[in-house]
Amino acid sequence: MGSSFGQLFRITTFGESHGGGVGVVIDGCPPRISLGEADIQRELDRRRPGQSAIVSSRQEADRCEILSGVFEGATLGTPIAILVRNEDARPEDYRAIKETFRPSHADFTYEAKYGVRNWQGGGRASARETIGRVAAGAVARQVLAALHPSFEIVTYVTHVYDITASIDPETVTRTEVEANAVRCPDEAAAEKILRAIEQARADGDSLGGIIECAIRGAPPGWGEPVFDKLEADLAKAMLSLPATKAFEVGSGFAAATMKGSEHNDPFEIREGRVRTKTNRSGGVQGGISNGETIVFRVAFKPPATIAREQQTVTAAKEETSLTARGRHDPCVLPRAVPIVEAMTALVLCDHALRQKAIAPSP
Amino acid sequence: MGSSFGQLFRITTFGESHGGGVGVVIDGCPPRISLGEADIQRELDRRRPGQSAIVSSRQEADRCEILSGVFEGATLGTPIAILVRNEDARPEDYRAIKETFRPSHADFTYEAKYGVRNWQGGGRASARETIGRVAAGAVARQVLAALHPSFEIVTYVTHVYDITASIDPETVTRTEVEANAVRCPDEAAAEKILRAIEQARADGDSLGGIIECAIRGAPPGWGEPVFDKLEADLAKAMLSLPATKAFEVGSGFAAATMKGSEHNDPFEIREGRVRTKTNRSGGVQGGISNGETIVFRVAFKPPATIAREQQTVTAAKEETSLTARGRHDPCVLPRAVPIVEAMTALVLCDHALRQKAIAPSP
Amino acid sequence: MGSSFGQLFRITTFGESHGGGVGVVIDGCPPRISLGEADIQRELDRRRPGQSAIVSSRQEADRCEILSGVFEGATLGTPIAILVRNEDARPEDYRAIKETFRPSHADFTYEAKYGVRNWQGGGRASARETIGRVAAGAVARQVLAALHPSFEIVTYVTHVYDITASIDPETVTRTEVEANAVRCPDEAAAEKILRAIEQARADGDSLGGIIECAIRGAPPGWGEPVFDKLEADLAKAMLSLPATKAFEVGSGFAAATMKGSEHNDPFEIREGRVRTKTNRSGGVQGGISNGETIVFRVAFKPPATIAREQQTVTAAKEETSLTARGRHDPCVLPRAVPIVEAMTALVLCDHALRQKAIAPSP
Amino acid sequence: MGSSFGQLFRITTFGESHGGGVGVVIDGCPPRISLGEADIQRELDRRRPGQSAIVSSRQEADRCEILSGVFEGATLGTPIAILVRNEDARPEDYRAIKETFRPSHADFTYEAKYGVRNWQGGGRASARETIGRVAAGAVARQVLAALHPSFEIVTYVTHVYDITASIDPETVTRTEVEANAVRCPDEAAAEKILRAIEQARADGDSLGGIIECAIRGAPPGWGEPVFDKLEADLAKAMLSLPATKAFEVGSGFAAATMKGSEHNDPFEIREGRVRTKTNRSGGVQGGISNGETIVFRVAFKPPATIAREQQTVTAAKEETSLTARGRHDPCVLPRAVPIVEAMTALVLCDHALRQKAIAPSP
């Protein structure tokens, strides 16, 4: 249990990094939404390895196939199953670590939990698992576009190691994000990040960082107190991603160092609508969207796989050392951008449908 | 929808701050667990107002009544319903704000979502809603104690406004936490925090802060990838609490500024068990507990209710100003400690049962 | 687990026959639905004992109290908790059977499952548990009335022991049902059933029977293939009731003895709508309502409690005999009518909201 | 929504009769259960067309592929995805009925619900959808065999049209069931049924019937009152199958014509265990298994597709007539046996795990 997400727009992902393939089944997608494999492939292409010099050189086409739920270019209202075959499998790369737990990976905990694990390439704990999420997120995006044409999500890298970018969540565009390989729409910072990642690769090391997400055009009223608050579901979505360690919405941790008189967002009337002058709330109040831009940030740790000798132990409880080999990302942030975006679309689509179920018919 | 939490140990809370009462129904509690009203009342007493000079002076006895599911001092395996009556209701305190949205409260968003709201005292968005959580958490604690005698949760304040405490999550005890009104087991910091809160109250202002939680004695193997990872469910639990803005586990946001060679936790064998030398992972790897202490932090914003004039608007979309009255906490951190602890117990109890369902019988 | 029902209009019931009380929490009720305690009390009064000579003489006022979720006569969109106190508790009536399993009751199975049971009056297995269902059903009825004014449910007794009534599900009214104590709108049959029940009581025996339910005015399109088909959820709802042994929709078991040429319902156009000439489908095709009257039947076994000596065993595994005492119904059918109706309203309300979530906005 | 089933052993099926394929994802399967494609194929072969003269002559190999969740012959504890490609697609067979609603099929209701449908071969409403159920049922069977070696399910045809077989649920074996093409382990009745089905095919007609299922070796204690009673979940499972109209457990509808003194099952001690002398309860009391054989029956209507002219209407609301063509089963009962069995295994496996979660560790 644990591979399903969402209440009304509900996805179930499957697949290990090695084996038949990875994918997702989406149950609860409304009918008559325009959808084709190209809509999904576009997002998968954003996350796959081999896109640029700073990500893993693995060559995986990651071609998706829609197995069900779509007919003549539109959704049927029935489950949408999407499959991506595993192609570039080299299990022999992993044979060395069959009996050895890689530090800060999930080898030991999977073994402890299940008493068994697919040691080929990380198995279910591989980032390859996120393919199903990205595919489902692309479908959620289509639903949101149909129901709320002005809705948009823009996601970008704001921070890598010791470099911080400056980006305005109210105005940044997806085109700006996609303008460089780092997916950081502050060109000067992006250039520095690029060099830092190249240096980390050269050093056999890896780097952490922060991704920010801006959700614009969500109407007031999304989010379901008291447990399924919008930020609670976003926090869960983000902390369910591999390598994430932290989440904050609006003012985030900075709120801890503030006074109420500094933090509160005064209301005003702008263009006939109730608006806040500031947005320290981050677009949510009491767990419900307030019509302002929803802004959150997610911290990613540096990838655990580094080309340096590390101390570890074997499944037989003997101490040993390990030096990773293979083709890995020295920094996951650029490829994590479409993954964060996909999870965001899933949360928002689910809440849009949940609100639709109880809202008065016009 | 949205008032239920947990998969196997599943709670549903109910209640507004004014009206018949607040409470919870717990479905899925194992049978034959020792439980009485005193076990629950103890935790409720830790969260209620009026305990000390620095919290709200409201006098609410918050006496709980177990309505079902317990017989002759033990659980029956049937739903446990717990009710706390609302007693100290002064709706007239709120009549002034019936038509006015309080800044950074949920008045506007509830109105936007539901088209109606109980304007008396914040209704469902009141912190009084957490009574059901605390009561359920006390039951979860009993279950965990029965199944895993060495399991323990210690929660404490580490930060208020500009004051930071120094506390070791590996050794801090609950007794140390309860030794002062602030629930900060660093006496020097606690003293400063106390004065800062008193000053904030005198200023008609409020303060944010950070709570840390240490979970010790959880066996390796709890957590359900890929969506119900232990840290994902903890993040959701925390962000579902009123006034929270951020969550981090282990290294948290600091991981974003680190290299892999600095962040990885080497494995070693200690006392015959697989252990990590450091604990930047925060006790979870790949979403599953690894047997180390699980450490996370939650940021709380300063309470929105302050005794200062603030700009706002009315439901009729007219701009106005508002000065809060009533008996409010200038800082929620001390009273939030048992609430964070309750949510933590709920998450861990749920995952303990989920693991029990699939683990091999001994 | 197992005390919740419904996906969007989700109820959780609680309570044993003896103890603080019984009740329900409803999560997911749309806001701004007219609701007061009188709406609920009306239905509770239909199910409670002591209404007529043929039902249990226990005097339970069964007064409901709405604890939350309702404000100024309308729902808030927040959880609605409803409590009915246990008043007429005579646990000493049950002390004799504390150690003895009553034949065809749930004493043995609860003991086997939970290793403990509340032996006072059947505990959670008591029909008193259905109070929460009836209260929630009354709320569901209000929601359906608001969303679909022409929707109606009529439920009635068609069969007791060897007496069969003749009733047309297309035209029978609730007034006709309530016209006699048996709730059988065929006066001649009702008279015979009344005498049969009186005779059974005199004999210290009990009688089984069948209840039929006609749902009129449901639009085409309710029901969620492939598992949450409308008839599947109705079947589950009915078999979850105490003392039920069978369910059939439309042609039911008679379909097993028919040919396709006899069973198919031809389509025609009537008053501009697609209609079926016959209704052997029972208003559902492929698990989805087709706009015709939904008709189903439920079989109830004779109550297990009879005033005759029966062979049984003790918890200590000794054979013994038992003669029941107390105030019991010799036939549950009349009081089961509002219970069947409540479960029906819950299923239909849930599916109405589920369809609302995916249907195109007009 | 509606394509998932089960709480802990949770399946999600997908697929239309035409398109990429059909299949299932199983989330919550315990790890280290022996499983290979052969275990699944065996059950799929029992349900596929073309097995004998009395079922559809369509030639579908229905080869399954396990995409994930299994490694080196055992389950991993991660989601198990199983895919069966659609091969023998002849959409042109269905083009004639693209605009015409087939009587007693789901064409009209799918159109009403979703505003769109895959008209090729019944789409999601095709019996081909049950492939995912049968595949998942084969996995559930492996889990049950591992956890409870003496557990067994035997399912068989007891009735077709006017022919009734005589079979003892306590002793019938799966080998006897598989001994003839009808899957009716009363040879004389099987012979008559065979001829009746051949006659129906010759007449262009179809026949209904009844399947009975005997579950032996379930321990006392499975089932989760009050809504997830064992018989309630079985009823839902059965009524979710295509073409089913009725369900009864134990005495079933016959209970309606009985007195309590005739119906009650006296307890006795047999071989040191609490047993009932009779089994009118059908192995469940209060929604929980009592250790006796669980016996239930399901009624199937005659297939709606018959080679006779029938009145119907078009999507454009014009009256017309229709004569079906293609390769259809004149009676679904023989092929429905493994499908009923699969759903039964799913329900029982789910409840076995649910009980495991709350039962005391030995």
Side-chain angles (χ1 to χ4, degrees):
Chain A
M1 284 286 287
S3 286
S4 291
F5 187 81
Q7 296 297 312
L8 280 185
F9 190 89
R10 186 165 178 84
I11 73 165
T12 304
T13 67
F14 61 86
E16 279 77 43
S17 62
H18 294 71
V22 294
V24 67
V25 180
I26 304 161
D27 196 17
C29 183
R32 279 171 296 164
I33 302 294
S34 171
L35 185 68
E37 282 164 358
D39 298 308
I40 296 160
Q41 195 62 52
R42 194 183 312 123
E43 293 303 308
L44 290 179
D45 288 347
R46 292 177 74 208
R47 86 157 280 294
R48 75 176 165 81
Q51 304 165 63
S52 72
I54 55 166
V55 299
S56 167
S57 61
R58 285 193 306 278
Q59 289 302 327
E60 293 161 349
D62 288 351
R63 303 302 307 177
C64 71
E65 180 188 6
I66 298 176
L67 294 169
S68 66
V70 176
F71 184 61
E72 298 181 340
T75 60
L76 284 166
T78 59
I80 301 169
I82 303 168
L83 173 64
V84 171
R85 292 279 176 186
N86 291 330
E87 286 173 4
D88 189 21
R90 300 192 200 168
E92 65 277 15
D93 282 8
Y94 296 95
R95 209 166 294 269
I97 49 118
K98 180 177 173 181
E99 300 295 340
T100 306
F101 299 135
R102 290 169 297 164
S104 290
H105 272 276
D107 302 335
F108 166 62
T109 51
Y110 268 67
E111 188 79 34
K113 181 176 188 67
Y114 299 114
V116 62
R117 72 189 159 103
N118 182 339
W119 45 264
Q120 299 173 328
R124 183 71 175 148
S126 161
R128 196 163 169 76
E129 168 266 317
T130 59
I131 284 177
R133 306 180 188 226
V134 170
V139 180
R141 186 185 289 277
Q142 295 293 105
V143 175
L144 285 161
L147 296 179
H148 299 276
S150 66
F151 179 87
E152 63 177 337
I153 304 172
V154 185
T155 318
Y156 41 89
V157 174
T158 61
H159 188 106
V160 168
Y161 194 51
D162 58 356
I163 305 146
T164 302
S166 173
I167 300 150
D168 181 357
E170 297 294 340
T171 58
V172 61
T173 67
R174 207 188 195 194
T175 305
E176 290 164 4
V177 172
E178 295 299 310
N180 60 58
V182 177
R183 294 202 168 98
C184 171
D186 168 340
E187 282 298 332
E191 186 59 33
K192 287 184 203 166
I193 290 171
L194 194 72
R195 284 198 298 271
I197 295 175
E198 285 167 348
Q199 185 62 49
R201 182 202 296 277
D203 295 346
D205 215 331
S206 65
L207 303 177
I210 297 173
I211 286 176
E212 185 171 271
C213 181
I215 304 163
R216 297 191 297 242
W222 290 0
E224 300 283 327
V226 295
F227 295 110
D228 300 348
K229 289 177 174 173
L230 200 56
E231 63 268 46
D233 278 357
L234 287 168
K236 170 163 178 157
M238 296 307 137
L239 268 294
S240 78
L241 289 173
T244 55
K245 300 304 288 182
F247 169 91
E248 60 180 15
V249 64
S251 56
F253 273 103
T257 64
M258 293 172 81
K259 298 182 179 177
S261 57
E262 298 162 348
H263 189 275
N264 282 358
D265 292 316
F267 282 114
E268 64 182 1
I269 302 296
R270 270 210 318 276
E271 295 164 6
R273 287 175 47 211
V274 175
R275 300 291 303 274
T276 63
K277 280 181 197 291
T278 49
N279 187 18
R280 284 178 280 263
S281 296
V284 283
Q285 291 178 323
I288 301 168
S289 62
N290 67 356
E292 305 300 323
T293 299
I294 301 166
V295 183
F296 68 83
R297 281 165 298 280
V298 193
F300 288 78
K301 68 173 186 174
T305 302
I306 54 176
R308 297 186 171 199
E309 186 175 7
Q310 297 181 84
Q311 284 190 41
T312 188
V313 300
T314 66
K317 296 195 182 172
E318 292 177 348
E319 300 196 337
T320 183
S321 73
L322 180 78
T323 305
R325 300 199 306 176
R327 301 151 296 162
H328 301 284
D329 292 78
C331 179
V332 298
L333 278 284
R335 287 178 59 204
V337 162
I339 301 171
V340 165
E341 205 160 279
M343 290 306 299
T344 305
L346 289 169
V347 170
L348 275 289
C349 181
D350 191 39
H351 279 281
L353 295 180
R354 291 175 78 169
Q355 179 62 8
K356 191 165 175 296
I358 63 162
S361 301
Chain B
M1 285 285 287
S3 286
S4 292
F5 186 80
Q7 296 297 311
L8 281 186
F9 190 90
R10 186 167 178 82
I11 73 166
T12 304
T13 67
F14 62 86
E16 279 76 46
S17 62
H18 295 71
V22 294
V24 67
V25 180
I26 303 161
D27 196 16
C29 184
R32 282 172 293 163
I33 303 293
S34 170
L35 185 68
E37 282 164 358
D39 298 308
I40 297 160
Q41 195 61 50
R42 194 182 313 124
E43 293 303 307
L44 290 178
D45 287 348
R46 292 177 76 207
R47 86 156 278 295
R48 74 178 166 80
Q51 304 165 62
S52 72
I54 56 167
V55 300
S56 167
S57 61
R58 286 193 306 279
Q59 288 303 327
E60 292 161 349
D62 289 349
R63 301 304 306 177
C64 72
E65 179 187 9
I66 298 176
L67 295 169
S68 65
V70 176
F71 183 61
E72 298 181 341
T75 60
L76 284 165
T78 59
I80 301 169
I82 304 167
L83 173 64
V84 171
R85 292 280 177 184
N86 291 330
E87 286 173 1
D88 190 22
R90 300 194 199 166
E92 64 277 15
D93 282 7
Y94 296 94
R95 209 166 294 270
I97 50 116
K98 180 178 174 181
E99 300 295 340
T100 307
F101 299 135
R102 292 169 296 165
S104 290
H105 273 276
D107 301 336
F108 166 62
T109 51
Y110 267 68
E111 188 80 33
K113 180 175 190 66
Y114 299 113
V116 63
R117 71 189 159 102
N118 182 339
W119 45 265
Q120 298 173 329
R124 183 71 175 147
S126 162
R128 193 163 171 77
E129 168 266 316
T130 59
I131 284 177
R133 306 179 188 228
V134 170
V139 180
R141 185 185 290 276
Q142 295 293 105
V143 175
L144 286 161
L147 296 179
H148 299 276
S150 66
F151 179 88
E152 63 177 338
I153 305 171
V154 185
T155 318
Y156 41 89
V157 174
T158 61
H159 188 107
V160 169
Y161 193 51
D162 59 356
I163 304 146
T164 302
S166 174
I167 300 149
D168 181 357
E170 298 294 339
T171 58
V172 62
T173 67
R174 207 187 197 194
T175 306
E176 289 164 4
V177 173
E178 296 299 310
N180 60 59
V182 177
R183 293 202 171 99
C184 171
D186 167 342
E187 282 298 332
E191 186 58 33
K192 287 182 202 165
I193 291 171
L194 195 72
R195 284 198 297 269
I197 296 175
E198 287 167 347
Q199 184 63 46
R201 181 200 297 277
D203 295 346
D205 214 331
S206 65
L207 302 177
I210 296 173
I211 285 177
E212 185 170 89
C213 181
I215 304 162
R216 298 190 297 242
W222 289 0
E224 300 282 328
V226 294
F227 295 110
D228 299 349
K229 289 177 173 171
L230 201 56
E231 63 268 45
D233 277 359
L234 286 168
K236 171 163 176 157
M238 296 308 137
L239 268 294
S240 79
L241 289 173
T244 56
K245 300 302 287 183
F247 169 91
E248 61 180 14
V249 65
S251 55
F253 272 103
T257 64
M258 292 172 84
K259 297 182 179 178
S261 56
E262 298 162 347
H263 189 274
N264 281 359
D265 292 317
F267 282 115
E268 64 182 0
I269 302 296
R270 270 211 317 276
E271 296 165 6
R273 287 176 46 210
V274 176
R275 300 290 304 273
T276 63
K277 281 182 197 290
T278 50
N279 188 18
R280 283 178 281 265
S281 296
V284 283
Q285 291 177 323
I288 301 168
S289 61
N290 67 356
E292 304 300 322
T293 299
I294 302 166
V295 183
F296 68 82
R297 282 165 296 280
V298 195
F300 287 79
K301 68 172 187 175
T305 302
I306 55 176
R308 296 184 171 201
E309 184 174 9
Q310 297 181 85
Q311 284 191 40
T312 189
V313 300
T314 66
K317 296 194 182 173
E318 292 175 350
E319 300 195 337
T320 183
S321 73
L322 180 77
T323 304
R325 300 198 306 176
R327 301 151 297 162
H328 301 284
D329 292 80
C331 178
V332 297
L333 279 283
R335 286 178 59 205
V337 163
I339 301 170
V340 166
E341 206 160 277
M343 289 308 297
T344 305
L346 289 168
V347 170
L348 275 289
C349 181
D350 192 37
H351 279 281
L353 295 180
R354 291 175 78 169
Q355 179 63 6
K356 191 165 175 296
I358 62 161
S361 301
Chain C
M1 285 286 287
S3 285
S4 292
F5 187 81
Q7 296 297 312
L8 281 185
F9 189 91
R10 186 164 178 84
I11 73 166
T12 304
T13 67
F14 61 86
E16 279 75 46
S17 61
H18 294 71
V22 293
V24 67
V25 180
I26 304 161
D27 195 17
C29 184
R32 281 171 294 163
I33 302 293
S34 170
L35 184 69
E37 282 164 357
D39 298 307
I40 296 160
Q41 195 63 51
R42 195 182 312 122
E43 294 303 308
L44 290 178
D45 288 348
R46 292 177 74 208
R47 84 157 280 294
R48 74 178 166 80
Q51 303 164 64
S52 72
I54 56 166
V55 299
S56 167
S57 61
R58 286 193 307 279
Q59 287 303 325
E60 294 160 349
D62 289 349
R63 303 303 304 177
C64 71
E65 178 187 9
I66 298 176
L67 295 169
S68 66
V70 176
F71 184 61
E72 298 181 339
T75 60
L76 284 166
T78 60
I80 301 169
I82 304 167
L83 173 64
V84 171
R85 291 280 176 186
N86 291 328
E87 287 174 359
D88 189 21
R90 300 193 199 168
E92 64 277 14
D93 282 7
Y94 296 94
R95 210 167 293 269
I97 50 118
K98 180 179 173 180
E99 300 296 339
T100 305
F101 299 136
R102 290 168 296 165
S104 290
H105 273 276
D107 302 336
F108 167 62
T109 52
Y110 268 67
E111 188 81 32
K113 181 176 189 66
Y114 300 114
V116 62
R117 71 190 160 101
N118 182 338
W119 45 262
Q120 298 173 329
R124 183 71 175 148
S126 161
R128 193 161 172 78
E129 168 265 317
T130 59
I131 284 177
R133 305 179 187 229
V134 170
V139 180
R141 184 186 290 276
Q142 295 292 107
V143 175
L144 286 161
L147 296 179
H148 300 275
S150 67
F151 179 88
E152 63 177 337
I153 304 171
V154 185
T155 317
Y156 41 88
V157 174
T158 61
H159 188 105
V160 168
Y161 193 51
D162 60 356
I163 305 145
T164 302
S166 175
I167 301 149
D168 180 358
E170 298 293 342
T171 56
V172 61
T173 67
R174 207 187 195 195
T175 306
E176 289 164 4
V177 172
E178 297 299 311
N180 59 58
V182 177
R183 295 204 168 97
C184 172
D186 168 342
E187 281 298 333
E191 186 58 33
K192 287 183 202 164
I193 290 170
L194 195 72
R195 285 197 298 269
I197 294 175
E198 287 168 347
Q199 186 62 47
R201 181 202 297 276
D203 294 347
D205 215 331
S206 65
L207 303 177
I210 296 174
I211 285 176
E212 184 170 88
C213 180
I215 304 162
R216 297 191 297 241
W222 290 0
E224 300 283 327
V226 293
F227 295 110
D228 300 349
K229 290 177 173 172
L230 201 55
E231 64 268 44
D233 277 358
L234 287 168
K236 171 164 177 156
M238 297 307 138
L239 267 294
S240 79
L241 289 173
T244 55
K245 300 303 286 182
F247 169 90
E248 61 180 14
V249 62
S251 55
F253 272 104
T257 62
M258 292 173 82
K259 297 182 180 178
S261 56
E262 298 163 347
H263 189 274
N264 281 359
D265 292 317
F267 283 115
E268 65 181 0
I269 303 296
R270 272 213 313 278
E271 294 164 8
R273 287 175 46 210
V274 175
R275 301 290 305 273
T276 63
K277 279 181 197 291
T278 49
N279 187 19
R280 284 178 280 263
S281 296
V284 282
Q285 291 176 325
I288 302 168
S289 61
N290 67 356
E292 305 300 322
T293 299
I294 301 166
V295 184
F296 68 82
R297 282 165 297 280
V298 195
F300 287 79
K301 69 173 186 174
T305 303
I306 55 176
R308 295 184 173 201
E309 185 175 8
Q310 298 180 85
Q311 284 191 42
T312 188
V313 300
T314 66
K317 297 195 181 173
E318 292 177 347
E319 299 196 336
T320 182
S321 74
L322 180 78
T323 305
R325 300 199 305 178
R327 301 149 297 162
H328 301 283
D329 293 78
C331 180
V332 297
L333 278 284
R335 287 178 59 204
V337 162
I339 300 171
V340 165
E341 205 160 278
M343 289 308 297
T344 304
L346 289 168
V347 170
L348 275 290
C349 180
D350 192 39
H351 279 281
L353 295 180
R354 291 175 78 169
Q355 178 63 7
K356 190 164 175 297
I358 62 161
S361 302
Chain D
M1 284 288 287
S3 285
S4 292
F5 187 81
Q7 295 298 312
L8 280 186
F9 190 90
R10 185 164 177 84
I11 73 167
T12 304
T13 67
F14 61 86
E16 279 76 44
S17 61
H18 294 71
V22 294
V24 67
V25 180
I26 303 161
D27 196 17
C29 184
R32 281 171 295 163
I33 302 293
S34 170
L35 185 68
E37 282 165 358
D39 298 308
I40 296 160
Q41 195 62 51
R42 194 182 312 124
E43 293 304 308
L44 291 178
D45 287 348
R46 293 177 74 205
R47 85 156 281 294
R48 74 178 166 81
Q51 303 166 65
S52 72
I54 56 168
V55 299
S56 166
S57 61
R58 286 193 305 279
Q59 288 304 326
E60 292 160 350
D62 288 351
R63 302 304 305 177
C64 71
E65 180 187 8
I66 298 176
L67 295 169
S68 67
V70 176
F71 184 60
E72 298 181 340
T75 59
L76 284 166
T78 59
I80 300 169
I82 303 168
L83 173 64
V84 172
R85 293 279 176 185
N86 291 328
E87 286 173 4
D88 190 20
R90 301 193 198 166
E92 65 278 14
D93 281 9
Y94 296 94
R95 210 165 295 269
I97 50 116
K98 180 177 173 181
E99 300 295 341
T100 306
F101 299 134
R102 290 169 297 164
S104 289
H105 273 276
D107 302 336
F108 166 62
T109 51
Y110 268 67
E111 188 81 33
K113 181 176 190 65
Y114 299 113
V116 61
R117 73 189 158 103
N118 182 338
W119 45 264
Q120 298 172 329
R124 183 73 176 147
S126 161
R128 194 162 171 77
E129 168 265 316
T130 60
I131 284 177
R133 306 179 187 227
V134 170
V139 180
R141 184 185 290 276
Q142 294 293 104
V143 176
L144 286 161
L147 296 179
H148 299 276
S150 66
F151 180 87
E152 63 177 338
I153 305 171
V154 185
T155 318
Y156 40 89
V157 174
T158 61
H159 187 107
V160 168
Y161 194 51
D162 60 355
I163 305 146
T164 302
S166 174
I167 300 151
D168 180 357
E170 298 293 340
T171 58
V172 62
T173 68
R174 208 187 194 196
T175 307
E176 290 165 4
V177 173
E178 295 300 309
N180 61 59
V182 177
R183 294 202 168 97
C184 172
D186 168 341
E187 282 298 332
E191 186 59 33
K192 286 184 202 164
I193 291 171
L194 195 72
R195 284 199 298 271
I197 295 175
E198 285 167 348
Q199 186 62 47
R201 182 201 295 277
D203 295 347
D205 214 332
S206 65
L207 303 177
I210 296 173
I211 285 177
E212 184 170 270
C213 182
I215 303 163
R216 298 191 296 242
W222 290 0
E224 300 283 328
V226 295
F227 295 111
D228 300 349
K229 289 177 173 171
L230 200 56
E231 63 267 45
D233 277 358
L234 286 168
K236 171 163 176 155
M238 296 307 136
L239 268 295
S240 80
L241 288 173
T244 55
K245 301 303 287 183
F247 169 91
E248 61 180 13
V249 63
S251 56
F253 272 104
T257 63
M258 292 172 82
K259 297 182 180 178
S261 56
E262 297 162 347
H263 190 274
N264 282 359
D265 292 316
F267 282 115
E268 64 181 0
I269 303 297
R270 266 209 322 274
E271 295 164 6
R273 288 175 46 210
V274 175
R275 301 290 304 274
T276 63
K277 279 182 198 291
T278 50
N279 187 18
R280 282 177 282 264
S281 296
V284 282
Q285 291 178 323
I288 301 168
S289 61
N290 67 356
E292 305 300 323
T293 299
I294 301 166
V295 184
F296 68 83
R297 282 165 296 281
V298 194
F300 288 78
K301 68 173 187 174
T305 302
I306 54 176
R308 296 185 171 199
E309 185 175 8
Q310 297 181 84
Q311 283 191 42
T312 188
V313 301
T314 67
K317 296 194 181 173
E318 292 177 348
E319 300 196 336
T320 183
S321 74
L322 180 76
T323 304
R325 299 200 305 177
R327 300 151 298 162
H328 301 284
D329 292 78
C331 179
V332 297
L333 278 283
R335 285 179 60 203
V337 162
I339 301 170
V340 166
E341 206 160 279
M343 291 307 298
T344 304
L346 289 169
V347 170
L348 275 289
C349 182
D350 192 39
H351 279 281
L353 295 180
R354 292 175 77 170
Q355 179 63 7
K356 191 165 175 296
I358 61 161
S361 301

